[in-house]
Amino acid sequence: MRFMTAEPFRIKMIERVKKMTKKDRQQWLKEAGYNIFKIKAENVYIDCLTDSGTSAMSSEQWSALMLGDESYAGCKSFYKLESSVQDIFGIPFVQPTHQGRGADFIMAQIYCETGKYALGNMHFDTFRGNAEIIGTHPVDLVLDVGMDAASEYHPFKGNIDLSKMQRFIDEKGPENINVVIITITCNNNGGQPVSMKNIREVSEMAKKHNIPVVIDSARMAENAYFIKTREEGYKDKTIKEITREMFSYCETTVMSSKKDGLVNIGGLFVTRNESVYHKANHLAIVHEGFITYGGMAGRDLEALAVGLQEACDEQYLEYRVGQINYLGEKLKKNNIPIIIPVGGHGVYIDGKRFFPQIPQCEFPSQRLVCALYEEAGVRAAELGACAFGRKDPESGEDIWPQLEVMRIAISRRVYTNNHLDVIANALDYIYKKRDSYKGIHLVYQGPMVSLRHFTASFELLE
Ligand SMILES: *Cc1c(COP(=O)(O)O)cnc(C)c1O
């Protein structure tokens, strides 16, 4: 029945949020060096900086918290998590970590070597940081349509380009490639899904050359839903049948459970290779916590065990993806340039088309982030010149990324469509006076270029 499209839940507890004045926000922006990461969350009206660790938990998860055991050797809560993970991933060996980057670290330590290459669709920034420390070169091989924020509809813009991958392997030699990491969905270009066919073909190509495949599965349930609704042959499969097939093509998967785990903290390193598991156990003991908790409290293990199952509920996913689409359609109606189709966890605005007068060296998407906060108290994230800009290692010159976007990430089960209307109205207002905006100037960046967006400072250009 098409009229039954409301949230598949009702609200049991609320958190008050404040509306502030534009004058206040201008002051806070200035104090924060025009870096939205330095704004206090309590000074944000609608927070779309991230979808990570921001989900609302269900009453089932809150009651599971109370069952949380002490978390150490052989704790009860671990076994509940282990069987929930095995059920969804179809992979036997489960090492929890304190959050996704803990799993990234372990994965990079096991799979990466100095001077070699890690291939992927688009690598996530915490993996990039790990790779940078080890001296492994992360290489993005996503389809060209996935690199272009103005490109036409494609159902799977997160796919790896197989011919690019083959060419890269031929050119560098398979012995110089440590690993292929498939990020599902692909966060950097819009939360775009990867098709089952692509996961399968990438894994076949990798296997032929003895290169292990890792899936970064932070948003695996959303990816599974896109496969179900967009890929031929999957319409009648359950979400879990789809997740199990996706993960049948990898050796190992790392997950930030702060996304599709529907919890506020936690991560997973899951593998079918027993010797890799044993290495991961030792790295976890040094850096995370014992094998059966990996830095998570027993209550968090319990909430995650339940959250993973809820994330794979089809009614929830229909609502979830439908809500992102609702915002996307509103923006499209107002001619705001977005990446189409919208992805699973947010809407991405094309900074180059929004502010064509601002060159990339003056951070158009970052300017838009500031404008949206200033006008409406909405916090979004820049994924463009600041987050993905690089320095040429020889000349030290700036290399600007092809994708220049602002991400409006939507937290899971947190905001109503009324909140999304505020965002759409604010963007419409800014878009109508877009010609009046000038760029901004980067005045401070930290020691690691790949992580500079977290601590950078800017000044407005007059
Ligand atoms: C969030 C995220 C990570 C890192 O996880 P944290 O839980 O934030 O440490 C890694 N990969 C992807 C794709 C992510 O979205």
Side-chain angles (χ1 to χ4, degrees):
M1 278 180 286
R2 288 316 305 160
F3 55 84
M4 292 184 68
T5 56
E7 286 80 357
F9 54 81
R10 56 198 185 128
I11 296 165
K12 199 161 184 165
M13 193 194 293
I14 59 103
E15 179 187 346
R16 203 166 68 87
V17 288
K18 282 189 295 189
K19 295 189 197 181
M20 286 83 42
T21 66
K22 182 169 165 179
K23 200 158 153 272
D24 282 338
R25 288 193 294 265
Q26 284 170 329
Q27 181 61 28
W28 291 322
L29 263 180
K30 199 165 171 208
E31 286 167 11
Y34 297 92
N35 183 342
I36 212 80
F37 285 101
K38 295 192 209 159
I39 298 273
K40 284 187 180 162
E42 65 172 357
N43 294 335
V44 175
Y45 178 43
I46 302 172
D47 208 341
C48 299
L49 178 63
T50 181
D51 62 319
S52 180
T54 56
S55 303
M57 294 208 296
S58 66
S59 48
E60 285 80 4
Q61 286 177 288
W62 281 105
S63 24
L65 280 190
M66 297 299 294
L67 303 171
D69 220 325
E70 94 291 345
S71 68
Y72 199 42
C75 78
K76 271 205 303 257
S77 310
F78 168 75
Y79 296 101
K80 289 187 205 163
L81 175 63
E82 182 186 54
S83 67
S84 182
V85 171
Q86 288 166 341
D87 175 48
I88 287 166
F89 292 78
I91 305 182
F93 301 114
V94 182
Q95 171 65 61
T97 60
H98 78 284
Q99 60 182 85
R101 67 201 64 190
D104 273 348
F105 169 78
I106 291 173
M107 185 263 286
Q109 290 294 317
I110 293 175
Y111 286 100
C112 295
E113 293 166 288
T114 311
K116 305 227 165 159
Y117 298 89
L119 311 187
N121 42 356
M122 294 182 88
H123 291 289
F124 190 77
D125 54 9
T126 52
F127 172 74
R128 271 179 196 286
N130 274 301
E132 200 176 314
I133 289 167
I134 295 173
T136 304
H137 310 294
V139 182
D140 289 350
L141 299 173
V142 76
L143 295 179
D144 285 341
V145 287
M147 292 298 293
D148 178 2
S151 62
E152 300 277 293
Y153 178 93
H154 182 292
F156 294 103
K157 284 188 176 177
N159 282 0
I160 287 181
D161 186 324
L162 289 160
S163 53
K164 283 189 205 168
M165 178 170 159
Q166 185 65 64
R167 230 177 302 136
F168 197 91
I169 296 173
D170 292 343
E171 204 174 293
K172 303 288 179 187
E175 68 283 2
N176 291 312
I177 298 164
N178 284 145
V179 62
V180 181
I181 302 169
I182 312 173
T183 302
I184 61 170
T185 58
C186 184
N187 171 61
N188 295 8
N189 71 350
Q192 301 291 325
V194 182
S195 70
M196 191 72 87
K197 181 164 179 275
N198 192 249
I199 298 174
R200 185 170 56 240
E201 290 177 351
V202 165
S203 118
E204 281 163 6
M205 188 182 290
K207 194 172 275 166
K208 218 168 60 198
H209 298 286
N210 265 324
I211 304 167
V213 172
V214 170
I215 295 182
D216 182 335
S217 55
R219 300 179 181 85
M220 53 88 192
E222 289 162 7
N223 200 84
Y225 184 75
F226 284 122
I227 288 175
K228 183 176 169 94
T229 51
R230 290 185 189 167
E231 188 163 350
E232 215 183 305
Y234 290 92
K235 169 161 79 49
D236 298 320
K237 295 238 191 307
T238 65
I239 296 297
K240 276 191 208 171
E241 283 168 340
I242 295 172
T243 56
R244 286 181 204 138
E245 183 181 340
M246 292 189 314
F247 294 108
S248 72
Y249 301 119
C250 68
E251 173 171 285
T252 293
T253 176
V254 287
M255 181 179 193
S256 164
S257 55
K258 298 167 71 174
K259 285 86 167 195
D260 276 350
L262 294 176
V263 290
N264 305 120
I265 196 72
L268 294 166
F269 179 97
V270 185
T271 183
R272 47 171 53 85
N273 180 328
E274 195 165 1
S275 79
V276 164
Y277 175 61
H278 290 148
K279 283 186 209 161
N281 293 156
H282 283 106
L283 285 162
I285 291 169
V286 177
H287 294 280
E288 301 289 316
F290 191 66
I291 300 165
T292 52
Y293 75 97
M296 291 171 78
R299 52 181 176 268
D300 292 325
L301 299 169
E302 297 271 351
L304 177 55
V306 177
L308 284 169
Q309 298 291 327
E310 290 179 357
C312 291
D313 174 61
E314 200 178 317
Q315 286 187 11
Y316 156 73
L317 284 167
E318 182 185 4
Y319 143 76
R320 166 75 181 154
V321 171
Q323 193 180 38
I324 313 297
N325 205 41
Y326 172 85
L327 178 58
E329 288 303 314
K330 287 229 141 186
L331 297 185
K332 267 201 289 196
K333 213 170 279 167
N334 292 333
N335 299 314
I336 299 197
I338 62 171
I339 294 183
I340 54 160
V342 295
H345 66 288
V347 176
Y348 290 52
I349 319 270
D350 183 351
K352 287 183 189 167
R353 278 186 291 156
F354 197 101
F355 285 142
Q357 75 276 25
I358 303 179
Q360 260 188 307
C361 61
E362 294 176 10
F363 305 95
S365 309
Q366 182 65 16
R367 186 64 193 88
L368 183 55
V369 166
C370 294
L372 184 58
Y373 177 73
E374 181 183 11
E375 296 296 348
V378 175
R379 180 157 71 164
E382 191 249 24
L383 297 178
C386 184
F388 298 137
R390 294 285 167 270
K391 297 270 179 205
D392 184 279
E394 265 122 56
S395 67
E397 275 189 37
D398 286 303
I399 303 170
W400 302 113
Q402 194 175 347
L403 272 178
E404 175 62 57
V405 295
M406 178 181 82
R407 179 184 76 175
I408 303 167
I410 308 296
S411 294
R412 293 169 181 78
R413 307 190 292 204
V414 171
Y415 290 117
T416 68
N417 287 1
N418 287 327
H419 291 108
L420 304 192
D421 289 346
V422 170
I423 300 171
N425 293 340
L427 281 168
D428 187 39
Y429 176 76
I430 297 165
Y431 193 57
K432 287 195 171 121
K433 57 174 184 133
R434 61 190 178 280
D435 294 342
S436 65
Y437 286 90
K438 297 200 168 65
I440 56 178
H441 178 59
L442 180 67
V443 293
Y444 168 77
Q445 54 181 323
M448 283 179 77
V449 179
S450 60
L451 301 175
R452 68 179 177 184
H453 46 300
F454 295 113
T455 54
S457 294
F458 301 91
E459 275 167 10
L460 293 185
L461 289 170
E462 297 302 333

